[in-house]
Amino acid sequence: MLNWIYEAYGRGFGPLRLFGSFFFLAAVGYATTAIATWVALPRLWDRLPKDRGRAFAVNAEQSVGKPLSAGLVFVSIFCLGALIFIPFQAAALRSLPFIFAAMLVGYLDDRRGGFSEYQLAAMDLAIALAASVAVLGLREWAIWLPGFKPAVLLSPWIGLPLATALIWISINATNCSDGVDGVSGSLTGTAIMILGALLYAVIGNADVAAHLHVPVNPEGADWAIMAFVMVGSVSGYLWYNAAPSQVLMGDAGSRPLGLMIGLLTVATGNPLFLLLVGSMILANGATGLVKVAVTRFLGIRVLAGIRFPLHDHARKELGWSNTQVLVRFLILHLGLSALLVILVLKIR
């Protein structure tokens, strides 16, 4: 909306010209949604469902009775913020209905005590496919990979299933990573922030992209605004989720956050970015999914001595406190992301 005001009225009026700056929109969007979430959440969390505890989760009893589904609040604030700060013509806005749908699926799962695994998998798949079609359309998807200077054009028959799989994995890995105060919000928030910075400064910048032989995304700045608006919402939530937490995001928060990471990965044009900036999210959550799938469908027991999610293994088997899990996972997350992203950008 602010960009529309700039286009309609701001070109000849000095202060309104700020509404045409993507950097200004991203920064103010972050601050606005952070403050809005910080103010709104404690006023609304008494109306949220309460956590009942999770079977087999370490220290699950510590969360029993706490307000759950904070994602219902901060994702709703994010959606309103996106409409205010992202240009109306941006392709990124076409993903908003699916982020909202992922939030609703998560909220219903939190409130009713859980859909079956297969029901959730099917709903996630439908949302991931619809979001992929909304963002990519039925055209070719240009991706780039380390070691190959030219872009690789994928037909819709290959590109859409690949994008759908990336988003589906991201949703479920992020959902499985939730369970320790501050961990899921911090890991996902930093992953989204890194992707947003790359889309703004590298992939959305024609000069930098040309220098690095990376295909430019003309709407990279739009996606960057969306990323920072979401990080602002998550920051407002983390204020109350710091150990010992007062409120939990639930599936209503983790599922749309995972969807956002998947969408931003698709926008970068490099499918490997899901691994590069989400390494600890995947290690914490997706490895457990692989273990369950291999054991259930192939009858092969793998990683039998490791608890999943990994944060449970760290607390139960290694004796780490919640704060140690948060700080150490975040250190690994930032270190791996910085190293891998730099390598991929330079190895062209």
Side-chain angles (χ1 to χ4, degrees), residues 95-250:
S95 66
L96 273 189
F98 309 106
I99 293 173
F100 196 80
M103 178 198 73
L104 288 179
V105 168
Y107 172 68
L108 292 173
D109 186 47
D110 291 336
R111 190 180 68 177
R112 64 175 288 180
F115 292 107
S116 74
E117 294 175 357
Y118 297 110
Q119 286 175 323
L120 283 172
M123 288 186 281
D124 292 339
L125 184 62
I127 290 171
L129 176 59
S132 298
V133 173
V135 172
L136 294 177
L138 299 177
R139 61 184 184 276
E140 291 182 325
W141 181 24
I143 68 169
W144 56 280
L145 300 168
F148 296 89
K149 184 174 290 188
V152 179
L153 294 178
L154 300 180
S155 72
W157 297 105
I158 299 174
L160 283 177
L162 175 59
T164 300
L166 286 172
I167 294 171
W168 187 90
I169 291 170
S170 182
I171 292 172
N172 285 276
T174 303
N175 182 58
C176 291
S177 293
D178 191 22
V180 177
D181 292 346
V183 168
S184 184
S186 296
L187 295 181
T188 55
T190 51
I192 292 170
M193 184 168 58
I194 292 169
L195 287 168
L198 285 168
L199 282 160
Y200 180 81
V202 178
I203 297 166
N205 185 311
D207 294 333
V208 177
H211 173 71
L212 295 173
H213 303 288
V214 173
V216 65
N217 183 342
E219 295 197 328
D222 297 329
W223 284 104
I225 296 171
M226 186 174 227
F228 280 92
V229 170
M230 178 62 93
V231 173
S233 299
V234 174
S235 298
Y237 155 75
L238 281 172
W239 184 272
Y240 302 106
N241 186 241
S245 61
Q246 296 170 269
V247 65
L248 309 172
M249 72 163 70

Side-chain angles (χ1 to χ4, degrees), residues 44 55 80 108 118 129 132 153 248 252 254 280 301 317 332:
L44 296 173
L80 291 174
L108 292 173
Y118 297 110
L129 176 59
S132 298
L153 294 178
L248 309 172
S254 61
M280 282 307 299
R301 291 181 60 82
E317 306 300 332
L332 291 171

